[in-house]
């Protein structure tokens, strides 16, 4: 074993687990560092409190005078928690979070100072916008951008900084972040869903999209990770031979959590409780050193903020425990990658989950309305849904035998399939009284109130109904949930809007009763969207052929998938629903293409560096040792030395062959990279995908072969068996 790896392992084995404080009951300190409704009641005036709550509930504007009161209350609360700075916390189009800290401290003359924070600092700030991805929205010399307070997501304290969730927009008003389009999409689905809800309950005045994400991740010893340039620079291993033992025994999934990992999880959960992130579930995942945590469902905007915050916190807590967190969707070849399942539903302000059946036919009709419209929306925009989860890292996971395929489909289970099939076969046109009665009693009325456990879960489905929600399983673990949630809520809003128009038209022109009109429209939607429903094995080749026959897309790579984002249909959708302008849509497409190009470019450069500066020199060093051995045998045995040195000579030849192949492939890859760099946009992305990335596996193959030939004492990189089984 090389000195680097030996020292890394020695440091790991000598390390003592961190002691965990007894934090008491979680409920006692949940949200303690959040300026939530409880804190606002304590620190705000009645007028200020009412104004903020109205802004949260109805989207009303907070007047400047009230903003000053809110800021004063927020400052007093933050200072009571020993905060010294404040920041507008936002989510630029890098996929990460951003913050610029300012001190509360201000000088007031005469050598004196005070803590100051007013409504102006709360509501708006002006960070430099030029160094964030903007997709051509802003020129470098037009650096001005604004962060604006989002009162629907409460401020929080992390460390000694008051963090104020904000949107980030250009001087001209275009969104430069992930949050602004999400908020617009949530508003659109609220308006559309509320209008449809009034068919069933006039008391509904608001509908919230809810989200429960499941965060999968790997924990790797930090000392071992340092020995891997690929992990440090790309988040994944670009080479490495599979260990003798991987996940084939299925002994890690739901197994006993290792002590050191448990210490990390406890520390993380304590931080989450203070920050109001309602994490509830923790367990071992399928792959060695892979884990998952999941929270209680929340309103989608807050859930997205909490997931982005969580990923920051996870990395900081990992440093305390000498771990490295890997969020990459496929950090290790040959074992399961990581996803971030987005569990989505709609709930009314009257406390009804619109995707949960009720006890009466009319409640079930309401359920069917939102259920069928969701399926129809995914059907109509399946390519856009695929594009929403596209990334260089997620391409490694989609279609592998632990993740949904790149083909979008909807799984609903056998029972609900029977219900929809029966509803589809009702006579066309206006329903007779007998048909209406039969429909209510025999179809709608027989749906059980709870569907949580009456059908198996289909792990191969990218979009599955799981009882009272849809689980969007194709979202990657590294992703910001805002992108997929913006797209999903936008297409649902559009679909519900169109549904209401069709129902109202039948009521007005055909003189149908409301429930008759609803049945008629739903029946047609069921027929029109039937091809998106699939109950079988999404991993099989048979499904690829069947999906092609049905006319479903199978965009396997990000450059191919992203084209859907700038289609006329997609731009018209986002503009009609008021979520993004054409400029904002095209900017995001350009940014995502560029990110893909840069990630593959970085991976290619890192792989070439490791192959030529780590693997080949190590192989040559070992080869020289073998040559010395053969030379010694020749001195001893004379002309018959080849009999005794046959294996060594054979190994020398194999090493030479692999070295030659690595050099040849790296050179070819570098040449293709140079060609790709001369192209722009889609052409550059296609070149990197088809011409540069294609060399990765070939180079890896020869490097991995050398790993199994070269003396373990010489190999400089931490091996899979160490990365995956050191805890």
């Amino acid at each position: 074993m090389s000195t680097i790896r030996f020292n890394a392992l020695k440091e790991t084995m000598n390390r003592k687990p961190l002691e965990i404080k007894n934090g008491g009951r979680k409920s006692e300190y949940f949200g303690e560092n959040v300026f939530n409704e409880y804190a606002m009641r304590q620190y705000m005036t009645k007028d200020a409190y009412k104004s903020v709550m109205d802004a949260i509930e109805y989207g009303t504007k907070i007047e400047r005078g009230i903003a000053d009161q809110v800021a004063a209350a927020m400052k007093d609360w933050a200072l009571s928690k020993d905060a010294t700075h404040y920041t507008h916390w936002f989510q630029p189009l890098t996929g990460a979070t951003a913050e610029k800290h300012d001190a509360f401290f201000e000088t007031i003359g005469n050598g004196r100072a005070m803590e100051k924070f007013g409504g102006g600092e709360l509501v708006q700030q002006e960070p430099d916008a030029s160094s964030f991805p903007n997709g051509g929205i802003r020129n470098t010399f037009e650096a001005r951008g604004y962060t604006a307070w989002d009162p629907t997501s409460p401020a929080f304290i992390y460390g000694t900084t008051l963090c104020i969730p904000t949107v980030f927009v250009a001087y001209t008003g275009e969104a430069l972040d992930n949050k602004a389009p999400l908020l617009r999409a949530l508003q659109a689905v609220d308006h559309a869903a509320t209008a449809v809800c009034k068919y069933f309950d006039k008391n509904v005045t608001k509908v919230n999209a809810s989200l429960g994400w499941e965060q999968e991740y790997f924990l790797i010893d930090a000392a071992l990770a340092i020995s891997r340039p690929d992990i440090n620079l790309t988040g994944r291993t670009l080479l490495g031979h599979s260990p003798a033992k991987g996940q084939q025994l299925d002994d890690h999934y739901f197994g006993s959590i290792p002590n050191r990992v448990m210490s990390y999880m406890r520390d993380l959960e304590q931080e989450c409780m203070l920050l109001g992130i309602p994490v509830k579930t923790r367990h071992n995942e399928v792959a060695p050193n892979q884990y998952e945590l999941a929270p209680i469902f929340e309103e989608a905007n807050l859930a997205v903020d909490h997931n982005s915050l969580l990923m920051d916190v996870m990395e900081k807590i990992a440093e305390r425990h000498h771990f490295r967190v890997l969020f990459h969707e496929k950090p290790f070849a040959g074992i399961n990658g990581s996803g971030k399942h987005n569990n989505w539903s709609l709930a009314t302000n009257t406390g009804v989950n619109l995707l949960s059946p009720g006890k009466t036919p009319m409640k079930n009709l309401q359920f069917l309305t939102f259920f069928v419209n969701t399926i129809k929306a995914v059907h109509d925009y399946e390519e856009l849904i695929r594009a929403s989860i596209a990334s260089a890292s997620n391409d490694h996971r989609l279609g592998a035998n632990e993740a949904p395929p790149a083909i979008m489909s909807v799984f609903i289970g056998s029972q609900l399939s029977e219900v929809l099939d029966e509803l589809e076969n009702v006579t066309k046109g206006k329903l007779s009284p007998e048909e209406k009665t039969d429909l209510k009693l025999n179809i709608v009325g027989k749906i059980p109130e709870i569907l949580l456990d009456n059908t198996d879960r289909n792990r191969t489905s990218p979009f599955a109904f799981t009882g009272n929600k849809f689980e969007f399983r194709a979202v990657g673990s590294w992703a910001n949930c805002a992108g997929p949630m913006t797209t999903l809520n936008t297409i649902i809003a559009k679909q519900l809007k169109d549904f209401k128009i069709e129902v109202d038209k039948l009521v007005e022109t055909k003189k149908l009763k409301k429930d008759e009109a609803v049945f008629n429209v739903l029946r047609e939607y069921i027929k029109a969207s039937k091809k998106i429903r699939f109950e079988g094995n999404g991993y099989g080749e048979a499904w690829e052929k069947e999906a092609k026959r049905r006319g479903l897309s199978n965009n396997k790579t990000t450059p191919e998938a992203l084209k859907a984002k700038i289609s006329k249909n997609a731009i018209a959708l986002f503009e009609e629903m008021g979520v993004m302008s054409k400029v904002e849509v095209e900017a995001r497409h350009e940014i995502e293409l560029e990110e893909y190009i840069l990630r593959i470019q970085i991976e290619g450069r890192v792989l070439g560096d490791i192959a030529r500066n780590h693997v080949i020199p190590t192989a040559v060093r070992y080869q020289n040792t073998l040559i010395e051995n053969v030379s010694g045998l020749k001195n001893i045995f004379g002309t018959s030395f080849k009999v005794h040195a046959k294996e060594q000579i054979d190994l020398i030849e194999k090493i030479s062959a692999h070295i030659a192949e690595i050099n040849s492939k790296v050179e070819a890859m570098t040449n293709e990279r140079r060609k790709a760099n001369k192209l722009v946009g889609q052409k550059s992305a296609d070149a990197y995908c088809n011409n540069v990335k294609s060399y990765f596996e070939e180079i890896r193959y020869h490097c991995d072969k050398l790993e199994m030939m070269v003396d373990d004492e010489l190999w400089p990189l931490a091996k899979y068996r160490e990365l995956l089984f050191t805890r």
Side-chain angles (χ1 to χ4, degrees):
M1 183 183 296
S2 70
T3 303
I4 295 174
R5 285 167 55 218
F6 176 77
N7 289 338
L9 281 170
K10 184 179 179 183
E11 180 183 336
T12 299
M13 300 310 174
N14 291 339
R15 192 176 291 142
K16 294 180 180 178
L18 296 183
E19 291 186 12
I20 299 302
K21 310 171 200 174
N22 182 4
R25 294 183 180 179
K26 288 180 171 60
S27 58
E28 293 175 356
Y29 58 92
F30 177 75
E32 190 175 303
N33 288 344
V34 182
F35 196 59
N36 50 26
E37 189 174 342
Y38 176 76
M40 287 193 289
R41 283 183 180 275
Q42 286 185 305
Y43 283 85
M44 281 187 188
T45 63
K46 287 184 179 179
D47 288 343
Y49 175 77
K50 183 179 184 306
S51 183
V52 172
M53 295 309 295
D54 285 347
I56 294 171
E57 187 68 22
Y58 308 112
T60 57
K61 185 178 179 181
I62 297 175
E63 299 298 329
R64 178 56 187 267
I66 295 294
D68 285 333
Q69 294 181 38
V70 174
M74 199 178 287
K75 180 197 71 176
D76 291 343
W77 172 78
L79 293 177
S80 74
K81 299 285 186 180
D82 298 322
T84 59
H85 290 70
Y86 64 91
T87 183
H88 274 200
W89 184 79
F90 59 103
Q91 300 171 42
L93 296 173
T94 58
T97 60
E99 53 198 64
K100 174 174 73 78
H101 297 192
D102 287 304
F104 288 116
F105 171 86
E106 293 280 351
T107 57
I108 57 175
N110 299 321
R112 310 266 309 164
M114 65 179 293
E115 276 69 34
K116 184 181 177 183
F117 181 65
E121 290 86 357
L122 167 64
V123 172
Q124 182 176 299
Q125 282 192 332
E126 188 181 330
D128 186 342
S130 65
S131 295
F132 289 109
N134 60 67
I137 289 178
R138 307 296 291 144
N139 293 311
T140 302
F141 60 86
E142 297 172 317
R144 182 171 291 178
Y146 293 110
T147 49
W149 174 38
D150 171 21
T152 63
S153 184
F156 57 91
I157 292 173
Y158 191 62
T160 58
T161 304
L162 171 67
C163 301
I164 303 161
T166 60
V167 297
F168 181 42
V169 297
Y171 176 70
T172 49
E174 289 99 349
L176 291 170
D177 69 342
N178 287 301
K179 177 183 270 280
L182 174 65
L183 290 174
R184 296 170 190 163
L186 294 175
Q187 185 179 54
V189 82
D190 170 21
H191 292 166
T194 299
V196 172
C197 277
K198 290 188 180 295
Y199 286 148
F200 309 99
D201 184 356
K202 299 292 185 184
N203 295 318
V204 175
T205 58
K206 187 174 179 60
V207 172
N208 286 320
S210 64
L211 169 64
W213 38 262
E214 303 168 29
Q215 182 68 61
E216 295 177 341
Y217 62 99
F218 282 82
L219 278 180
I220 306 301
D221 184 84
L224 294 175
I226 288 172
S227 79
R228 298 286 311 219
D230 47 359
I231 290 178
N232 287 320
L233 297 177
T234 72
R236 75 180 183 105
T237 56
L238 297 172
L239 50 83
H241 199 282
S242 298
K245 179 181 183 295
Q247 64 187 46
Q248 63 266 48
L249 295 178
D250 297 323
D251 55 343
H252 191 256
Y253 190 53
F254 280 19
S256 177
I257 299 172
N259 289 337
R260 187 177 163 207
V261 175
M262 180 64 81
S263 295
Y264 166 79
M265 289 180 171
R266 283 176 164 176
D267 203 358
L268 175 61
E269 287 177 0
Q270 185 167 331
E271 292 285 353
C272 287
M273 290 300 105
L274 292 170
L275 292 167
I277 305 173
V279 294
K280 186 175 178 68
T281 302
R282 65 191 184 200
H283 65 81
N284 289 7
E285 257 299 336
V286 176
N289 274 354
Q290 186 188 33
Y291 307 94
E292 180 184 302
L293 83 164
I296 298 170
F297 281 64
E298 298 180 284
E299 190 275 322
N301 178 44
L302 183 57
V304 169
D305 280 2
H306 277 166
N307 183 250
S308 296
L309 175 59
L310 173 90
M311 293 171 77
D312 289 341
V313 174
M314 287 176 73
E315 290 181 334
K316 290 183 173 73
I317 301 298
E319 289 178 11
R320 299 184 203 168
H321 292 260
H322 311 290
F323 276 126
R324 172 76 182 272
V325 180
L326 300 184
F327 292 117
H328 194 288
E329 284 80 0
K330 194 75 171 179
F332 300 99
I335 63 172
N336 278 19
S338 300
K340 178 150 48 192
H341 305 171
N342 278 211
N343 295 280
W344 172 89
S345 188
L346 295 172
T348 69
N349 62 324
T350 58
V352 175
N353 179 350
L354 295 172
L355 289 174
S356 181
K359 295 180 179 179
T360 64
M362 190 51 67
K363 288 293 184 184
N364 283 339
L365 179 58
Q366 177 178 268
F367 158 72
L368 278 176
T369 295
F370 287 91
F371 179 69
V372 172
N373 272 281
T374 300
I375 297 171
K376 177 68 161 49
V378 175
H379 169 272
D380 290 354
Y381 293 98
E382 47 102 2
E383 284 197 275
L384 191 57
I385 281 284
R386 165 65 180 97
S388 75
I389 47 90
S391 70
S393 53
N394 208 20
D395 280 358
H396 293 284
R397 170 178 165 265
L398 294 179
N401 282 349
E402 82 277 355
I407 305 166
M408 293 297 106
S409 64
V410 178
F411 169 83
I412 62 173
S414 57
Q415 187 178 49
L416 281 173
S417 291
E418 290 175 8
V419 170
L420 297 193
D421 289 343
E422 194 170 346
L423 184 57
E424 177 190 348
N425 293 323
V426 174
T427 307
K428 293 182 179 179
K430 183 177 178 180
L431 298 172
S432 68
E434 293 78 16
E435 286 175 326
K436 286 188 292 181
T437 302
D438 179 71
L439 202 61
K440 288 180 182 178
L441 295 179
N442 294 334
I443 302 178
V444 180
K446 74 181 181 183
I447 300 174
E449 183 180 6
I450 298 176
L451 284 161
L452 291 174
D453 300 312
N454 68 354
T455 186
D456 194 15
R457 295 182 67 191
N458 190 332
R459 292 177 57 85
T460 74
S461 174
F463 200 85
F465 185 70
T466 54
N468 59 1
K469 63 188 183 298
F470 279 96
E471 183 179 18
F472 191 7
R473 302 189 70 253
V475 181
S477 53
W478 215 349
N480 185 318
C481 298
M485 284 296 101
T486 296
T487 298
L488 179 60
N489 284 289
T490 301
I491 67 172
I492 299 298
K494 166 66 173 169
Q495 179 57 48
L496 291 172
K497 179 183 175 183
D498 291 347
F499 170 76
K500 188 174 188 304
I501 291 171
E502 291 191 52
V503 171
D504 288 348
K505 185 177 180 180
L506 286 179
V507 171
E508 292 170 10
T509 61
K510 301 291 185 181
K511 305 304 179 185
L512 297 183
K513 291 183 179 180
K514 178 194 65 183
D515 59 342
E516 293 179 73
V518 168
F519 279 133
N520 273 270
V521 176
L522 290 181
R523 185 183 59 225
E524 297 308 311
Y525 282 179
I526 291 168
K527 295 175 183 177
S529 62
K530 193 169 185 178
K531 71 179 183 182
I532 202 71
R533 287 161 39 201
F534 179 64
E535 305 295 303
N537 177 16
Y539 295 162
E541 290 184 15
W543 169 230
E544 280 201 38
K545 294 178 182 177
E546 171 62 17
K548 185 177 182 180
R549 188 191 66 78
R550 294 186 186 189
L552 298 177
S553 66
N554 185 10
N555 298 323
K556 294 184 177 182
T557 68
T558 290
E560 189 179 7
L562 287 179
K563 293 176 184 177
K565 283 201 169 184
I566 53 169
S567 67
K568 290 182 179 179
N569 194 30
I571 291 172
L573 164 74
F574 287 118
E575 288 191 320
E576 178 186 343
M577 303 314 299
V579 173
M580 285 185 283
S581 66
K582 181 180 179 182
V583 170
E584 290 172 319
V585 172
E586 290 176 341
R588 279 155 180 76
H589 175 261
E590 182 179 322
I591 289 167
E592 289 172 18
L593 266 186
E594 183 179 25
E595 181 184 356
Y596 178 87
I597 292 167
L598 292 175
R599 287 200 180 277
I600 303 301
Q601 182 188 76
I602 290 168
E603 288 190 353
R605 294 176 68 180
V606 171
L607 179 57
D609 171 42
I610 295 175
R612 282 183 161 167
N613 295 324
H614 292 72
V615 174
I616 289 178
T618 303
V620 169
R621 195 176 304 123
Y622 181 57
Q623 193 178 46
N624 287 337
T625 301
L626 292 174
I627 291 170
E628 289 177 14
N629 179 259
V630 170
S631 179
L633 291 173
K634 185 177 181 180
N635 291 335
I636 295 172
F637 295 104
T639 56
S640 65
F641 81 97
K642 289 185 179 180
V643 175
H644 303 281
K646 183 178 182 305
E647 286 76 14
Q648 292 92 319
I649 293 171
D650 193 36
L651 193 53
I652 290 169
E653 290 176 350
K654 287 180 179 178
I655 290 173
S656 291
H658 287 303
I659 289 173
E661 285 295 319
I662 291 171
N663 266 321
S664 171
K665 302 299 183 186
V666 169
E667 186 65 32
M669 178 186 69
T670 303
N671 289 334
E672 290 297 336
R673 197 170 68 238
R674 292 192 185 108
K675 293 177 186 178
N677 289 340
K678 294 178 181 178
L679 304 174
V680 294
Q682 186 71 45
K683 290 182 178 179
S684 180
D686 288 340
Y688 265 102
C689 179
N690 301 322
N691 303 334
V692 177
K693 188 181 172 187
S694 60
Y695 284 102
F696 287 9
E697 285 305 311
E698 295 181 44
I699 295 169
R700 177 181 193 140
Y701 171 82
H702 295 288
C703 290
D704 289 355
K705 286 293 184 181
L706 287 176
E707 180 184 323
M708 298 305 288
M709 295 177 183
V710 172
D711 188 346
D712 187 61
E713 290 187 7
L714 298 177
W715 197 255
L717 306 172
K719 296 185 176 182
Y720 269 32
R721 66 169 182 261
E722 296 155 357
L723 293 167
L724 292 170
F725 293 96
T726 299
R727 295 165 188 165

